[in-house]
Amino acid sequence: MSLDGRPGDRLEGPLPVTGNGVVLEDSNRPALAPMSSQRLRLIPNKDHNPDNYDDMELDFSPSIFTSLERFLPPSMLGMPRHDKVKFMTEILLKYLPHGERNRVQKHRDYRQKIISNYQPLHRELYSMHPATTFVAPFLKAVSDNTEESFRRIMSEPSPGVFTFEMFQPQFCELLLSEVENFEKWVNEAKFRIMRPNTMNKYGAVLDDFGLETMLDKLMENFIRPISKVFFAEVGGSTLDSHHGFVVEYGEDRDADLGFHVDDSEVTLNVCLGKQFSGGELFFRGTRCDKHVNSGSHSEEIFDYSHVPGCAVLHRGRHRHGARATTSGHRINLLLWCRR
């Protein structure tokens, strides 16, 4: 994780204090150094093996804490995870604008209310199990982790648009069932949920009901290695956060999706099912902000027909849209990968 600042700058985090401003000490923990020394290192400790934070309820992605831990002062590296998380969270929040801090707190409360009340249907989905999630050729390609191994399972029908088979049918069915169960709970509880984005009126944010850790693993261990090879110019090797959601199209759902770009560096789009007609993705090349609505060259024009279990991977800035789903019901998993 990179730290922005002028040479010599250090980011400081507060120690726990009483109402009278006295530093608290716990005899069962390593003694904390004075306030002045509790600063992040400018150079990460590459020899340190950071903790895993996947099982903790956090304000930010677990991967951010794992990356940031290498910058902790030596006196903190051996402390319990809870202490390190508290210190790192205070630093991260300190450097967010006030309005953003309020937004983060409100969203944390919203998400906690869902997780405290919603009972998952398929708990096995909430941890990453590669052998039952991915098809064998995809697993082999990621294990080999070379451009050659990735190209063996991929097609690039248009520059910067990659397609490949990814999920096993059983995984798609389980995830569809979990989404349906969540939507049933939402309706019965009359709980108002946040939709995935400003363009989709239907669908759900998977991170909000407990799937954030699983999707973090999906990004870190499977999408980031591919993005490092094919999307290096947009930071594919440093993707460390995501927005994971499902969208729904068809009768009584969204019909289509207009021409747009995504709020991501790299986007993964996987069709989960069900039976449907139409709904093709159309791509029209990549442009900067100033020319996002400019015309397309012939080689940039590409239409893609969804197949359940198959993925499309592209830059977030790649202009695209979705044609109308003319019959049936289509559900897709989207993972906006960011850095």
Side-chain angles (χ1 to χ4, degrees):
M1 178 176 179
S2 63
L3 295 177
D4 296 325
R6 298 180 301 276
D9 281 354
R10 293 178 183 267
L11 307 183
E12 298 185 1
L15 294 176
V17 297
T18 66
N20 296 321
V22 179
V23 175
L24 296 174
E25 294 187 356
D26 185 338
S27 60
N28 295 320
R29 302 190 215 165
L32 291 174
M35 172 83 77
S36 61
S37 67
Q38 296 303 301
R39 299 172 177 174
L40 293 180
R41 298 162 54 103
L42 290 178
I43 306 300
N45 184 344
K46 296 183 178 179
D47 296 328
H48 175 65
N49 186 24
D51 281 320
N52 185 297
Y53 297 92
D54 288 343
D55 60 329
M56 300 181 71
E57 292 293 332
L58 303 168
D59 295 326
F60 302 93
S61 167
S63 62
I64 292 178
F65 290 92
T66 298
S67 298
L68 187 59
E69 184 176 322
R70 295 182 188 275
F71 291 87
L72 291 179
S75 62
M76 296 192 69
L77 294 178
M79 289 184 171
R81 288 189 307 165
H82 180 270
D83 291 337
K84 290 186 284 191
V85 163
K86 184 176 186 297
F87 179 79
M88 290 187 282
T89 298
E90 288 173 345
I91 288 176
L92 292 168
L93 291 175
K94 179 180 178 181
Y95 287 87
L96 285 176
H98 180 71
E100 181 68 8
R101 289 201 299 271
N102 288 340
R103 189 197 67 79
V104 168
Q105 180 61 47
K106 288 180 180 178
H107 194 259
R108 179 175 59 183
D109 294 343
Y110 161 82
R111 182 175 291 183
Q112 186 57 47
K113 187 174 181 179
I114 293 176
I115 293 175
S116 298
N117 290 280
Y118 173 65
Q119 296 299 316
L121 182 63
H122 302 292
R123 291 192 177 274
E124 64 270 30
L125 283 174
Y126 291 74
S127 299
M128 173 55 71
H129 302 288
T132 57
T133 300
F134 305 108
V135 296
F138 177 81
L139 278 178
K140 178 67 164 57
V142 173
S143 176
D144 292 346
N145 195 22
T146 65
E147 180 174 349
E148 181 183 2
S149 70
F150 295 140
R151 288 199 179 275
R152 278 200 298 267
I153 65 164
M154 288 178 159
S155 297
E156 189 178 3
S158 184
V161 179
F162 298 90
T163 64
F164 49 95
E165 188 180 0
M166 186 176 188
F167 289 151
Q168 293 186 28
Q170 178 67 15
F171 175 80
C172 293
E173 293 171 6
L174 286 176
L175 187 52
L176 285 173
S177 176
E178 188 68 43
V179 170
E180 289 175 358
N181 188 64
F182 176 67
E183 292 177 337
K184 179 182 177 183
W185 173 80
V186 168
N187 291 330
E188 291 176 350
K190 294 181 171 56
F191 191 93
R192 185 175 181 180
I193 62 171
M194 298 179 186
R195 295 302 177 182
N197 53 63
T198 57
M199 298 181 72
N200 289 98
K201 296 180 181 178
Y202 296 89
V205 179
L206 300 177
D207 300 318
D208 286 344
F209 62 93
L211 287 165
E212 181 179 28
T213 296
M214 186 274 283
L215 293 176
D216 262 336
K217 290 299 183 185
L218 172 59
M219 182 193 69
E220 293 171 13
N221 298 336
F222 299 95
I223 302 307
R224 192 161 62 193
I226 299 174
S227 299
K228 179 180 180 180
V229 173
F230 297 110
F231 302 116
E233 76 285 355
V234 294
S237 64
T238 57
L239 301 174
D240 61 8
S241 65
H242 75 265
H243 177 49
F245 56 96
V246 292
V247 290
E248 302 183 48
Y249 296 91
E251 186 177 356
D252 298 325
R253 295 291 188 271
D254 288 315
D256 54 19
L257 191 62
F259 193 55
H260 68 284
V261 296
D262 296 336
D263 184 15
S264 67
E265 272 64 55
V266 177
T267 292
L268 173 73
N269 185 340
V270 191
C271 181
L272 301 176
K274 305 177 178 179
Q275 298 292 322
F276 60 89
S277 299
E280 297 86 0
L281 283 179
F282 60 90
F283 290 90
R284 297 296 183 265
T286 304
R287 296 289 186 277
C288 67
D289 288 338
K290 291 183 179 180
H291 300 94
V292 70
N293 290 313
S294 62
S296 301
H297 303 298
S298 58
E299 65 272 16
E300 296 176 317
I301 298 175
F302 170 64
D303 284 17
Y304 171 78
S305 297
H306 289 287
V307 177
C310 291
V312 183
L313 193 69
H314 60 87
R315 294 172 185 82
R317 294 295 307 171
H318 204 126
R319 302 177 301 171
H320 61 287
R323 303 193 189 284
T325 297
T326 54
S327 66
H329 188 193
R330 176 170 69 84
I331 302 180
N332 281 49
L333 163 67
L334 276 296
L335 194 67
W336 285 357
C337 303
R338 300 161 170 163
R339 63 183 176 91

